[in-house]
Amino acid sequence: MVIAHIEEAKVSYILLEWTEFLVRWLHVIAGIAWIGSSFYFIALDLSLIKRKDIPKNAHGEAWQVHGGGFYQIVKYLVAPEKLPSQLTWFKWEAYGTWISGFLLLILVYYISADLYMIEIEKFDISNWEAISLSLIGIILGWVLYNFICKKTVNQNNTILSIFILLVFTLFSWLYFEVFSHRGAYMQIGSMLGTIMVANVLMIIIPGQKKVVKSLLENKTPDAIHGITAKQRSLHNNYLTLPVIFIMISNHYPSIYATDYSWIIISLIIIVGALIRHFFNIKHSGKKPPYLLWIPILIIILFSVYLSDKGKPNLTENNESSNLIIEQIPNELILASEEIIVSKCSMCHAKEPLWENMERSPKLVNLENISDLIKNIEGVYSQAVASYAMPPGNVTFLENSERKTLYDLYHLVNKL
Ligand code: HEC
């Protein structure tokens, strides 16, 4: 969606959209692989049983059936008597997710920082300043988190988690003061995601490597590696759902772009952790705490309420769009208005005529020229540079009409 900067739009627009999409594809797939294996190992760990006949030093055993075969898995807490020559490490799922995620951050947010990160009314900064602030936050978030964890590694994990939550609520508030809503939201997502990957890269894997090295040298490994790794995987386990929530919510403006979205982030961290907790207990074979769904539901409902409370106040008129309208030739205004009224506004209206539609989809109204100018970027990506709108071309939008919308887009971007 890097449209705004491109003068001769079409070709480079499509190329950029493809690049962005391919990176996003990779990001989602790497994320699925990472979170999938993480869910798998957590559930596996919780299902281990200590039978009498398992090998010496073994911690537990699980039997599983999948894909037409049976698996007998034995877990050693420290290590077996003799390490096999071949070991499968699980790390590229995490690294791949971070690398593609960071590329996506550059492609979508950093390249168009003026569109997606900066809000001049809050803080008038240049693109480079916004990018620097974002990078500083990503690094600082990890350094601070790592410091707190190292200081408290042997202490109560619940207090630590609450403390970390408070630190991140502060970060959210801070970034919502500095960046646009969308920029701030993704910033917090990136900071949390980075912590999860850094836990793997900087703590869990190096610790495990040291353990393997000691074992190969016939020394007893330092127990601290195991303790730290356990603490960090616990955090990753509980952060998984909230981070995914943040990453996909940037398609849902009423979640990320309200006055209270920074509080919603913290509430969702709690909700995600509670849901994970429910499944952790369920997978360990104990009776699942069904009552946990009551606070989960209450917090979600409260978040919905906050979204509504934090939405913009619609009493002011947009004068700048009137200024633009004065500079557009009358024929183009009439032609464009005719198109949206006949091809879009049965859905995109305050009171849509489309059956069972309560309000305009995605709150995009297209009833007159000022609506159209307000949404011109979206109209361009949905109906000019692609066939996404009208859905299934239900209203038979002609290519010549798309061209008229393109002319308008082009003109508005020049003004
Ligand atoms: C039959 C109903 C219908 C018609 C007609 C229609 N739209 Fe849409 N439009 C939708 C729906 C439904 C969505 C939400 C899609 C989604 O959830 O991703 C949408 C979303 C959009 C969005 C927002 C996309 C986003 O994700 O931000 C834009 C912009 C848009 N339409 C433009 C248009 C234009 C321009 C026309 C006319 C040329 C048009 N639409 C005609 C139903 C319609």
Side-chain angles (χ1 to χ4, degrees):
M1 306 230 181
V2 210
I3 8 181
H5 303 287
I6 300 153
E7 264 305 318
E8 262 324 311
K10 203 99 186 200
V11 173
S12 36
Y13 174 78
I14 286 172
L15 189 67
L16 271 168
E17 192 157 273
W18 263 95
T19 313
E20 188 187 313
F21 177 73
L22 290 176
V23 176
R24 194 178 291 261
W25 192 31
L26 174 63
H27 185 53
V28 170
I29 289 169
I32 290 174
W34 179 21
I35 285 147
S37 58
S38 149
F39 280 179
Y40 171 75
F41 277 106
I42 291 161
L44 171 64
D45 240 26
L46 294 170
S47 73
L48 293 169
I49 295 173
K50 206 169 174 96
R51 290 201 182 82
K52 280 203 195 71
D53 53 349
I54 55 177
K56 201 174 142 238
N57 282 346
H59 167 69
E61 180 193 63
W63 277 85
Q64 301 185 341
V65 49
H66 183 80
F70 294 87
Y71 297 77
Q72 180 187 13
I73 300 148
V74 178
K75 176 171 181 175
Y76 298 85
L77 262 195
V78 183
E81 298 230 290
K82 207 171 137 348
L83 269 185
S85 57
Q86 188 267 341
L87 267 177
T88 305
W89 292 82
F90 287 83
K91 53 183 184 182
W92 280 104
E93 296 85 347
Y95 303 165
T97 307
W98 191 86
I99 293 167
S100 53
F102 191 66
L103 272 177
L104 207 51
L105 189 66
I106 295 173
L107 280 170
V108 180
Y109 288 83
Y110 290 180
I111 289 186
S112 309
D114 50 344
L115 274 181
Y116 293 133
M117 297 172 75
I118 297 167
E119 189 161 331
I120 293 172
E121 278 176 81
K122 288 185 188 168
F123 203 38
D124 191 358
I125 45 178
S126 71
N127 283 13
W128 282 113
E129 284 164 336
I131 294 169
S132 313
L133 279 178
S134 162
L135 291 172
I136 289 171
I138 290 176
I139 296 167
L140 193 69
W142 161 251
V143 171
L144 216 63
Y145 161 85
N146 191 35
F147 178 77
I148 302 172
C149 287
K150 283 207 161 135
K151 284 275 166 226
T152 56
V153 70
N154 285 317
Q155 285 158 26
N156 186 322
N157 246 313
T158 316
I159 295 173
L160 169 65
S161 310
I162 293 172
F163 186 65
I164 292 172
L165 179 70
L166 289 179
V167 170
F168 266 83
T169 310
L170 191 71
F171 268 126
S172 301
W173 174 78
L174 210 77
Y175 274 106
F176 269 87
E177 290 291 303
V178 173
F179 283 172
S180 70
H181 294 92
R182 195 169 158 180
Y185 216 82
M186 192 44 65
Q187 174 69 20
I188 299 301
S190 310
M191 287 167 67
L192 291 173
T194 299
I195 285 181
M196 291 177 68
V197 178
N199 273 338
V200 178
L201 176 76
M202 318 275 272
I203 306 288
I204 300 173
I205 296 285
Q208 197 80 54
K209 287 237 152 102
K210 280 187 197 136
V211 170
V212 170
K213 189 162 169 276
S214 313
L215 286 169
L216 290 176
E217 291 165 356
N218 278 327
K219 291 185 199 143
T220 321
D222 189 344
I224 188 71
H225 300 307
I227 298 171
T228 323
K230 189 155 184 265
Q231 179 199 39
R232 303 305 175 93
S233 3
L234 191 78
H235 292 170
N236 278 8
N237 176 0
Y238 282 108
L239 278 175
T240 317
L241 298 188
V243 170
I244 298 178
F245 181 98
I246 297 175
M247 293 304 173
I248 58 183
S249 59
N250 71 357
H251 302 285
Y252 295 84
S254 31
I255 291 171
Y256 71 78
T258 75
D259 286 344
Y260 299 120
S261 292
W262 61 278
I263 307 179
I264 295 180
I265 291 189
S266 300
L267 293 176
I268 291 306
I269 293 182
I270 299 173
V271 166
L274 289 178
I275 297 178
R276 259 332 270 156
H277 193 62
F278 174 86
F279 283 102
N280 286 343
I281 295 183
K282 187 172 186 304
H283 290 155
S284 70
K286 294 192 199 114
K287 187 172 170 292
Y290 288 107
L291 287 181
L292 216 51
W293 288 98
I294 297 174
I296 291 172
L297 212 70
I298 291 175
I299 300 173
I300 290 179
L301 286 177
F302 183 60
S303 307
V304 175
Y305 166 79
L306 284 182
S307 270
D308 188 55
K309 264 277 171 240
K311 70 179 192 284
N313 176 351
L314 297 181
T315 44
E316 303 143 38
N317 225 338
N318 191 344
E319 283 179 24
S320 63
S321 81
N322 290 341
L323 269 180
I324 294 180
I325 294 169
E326 280 165 21
Q327 301 179 53
I328 300 173
N330 218 18
E331 309 88 78
L332 187 55
I333 294 184
L334 289 179
S336 314
E337 274 190 330
E338 197 186 315
I339 294 172
I340 55 165
V341 167
S342 61
K343 309 277 164 109
C344 315
S345 68
M346 63 285 291
C347 297
H348 290 281
K350 291 203 184 72
E351 290 174 9
L353 298 175
W354 200 259
E355 213 179 318
N356 294 330
M357 202 175 267
E358 301 280 326
R359 17 163 241 181
S360 48
K362 299 264 168 172
L363 298 183
V364 174
N365 280 333
L366 297 170
E367 296 183 89
N368 52 45
I369 188 75
S370 48
D371 289 345
L372 186 51
I373 288 172
K374 227 184 286 165
N375 294 300
I376 196 72
E377 299 287 341
V379 170
Y380 178 81
S381 71
Q382 300 283 327
V384 177
S386 76
Y387 292 105
M389 285 290 143
N393 207 4
V394 274
T395 48
F396 306 105
L397 186 67
E398 308 275 349
N399 282 352
S400 59
E401 294 170 318
R402 295 184 199 271
K403 171 74 168 65
T404 308
L405 294 176
Y406 173 70
D407 293 341
L408 183 72
Y409 163 80
H410 208 65
L411 192 65
V412 170
N413 262 331
K414 273 200 195 136
L415 292 178

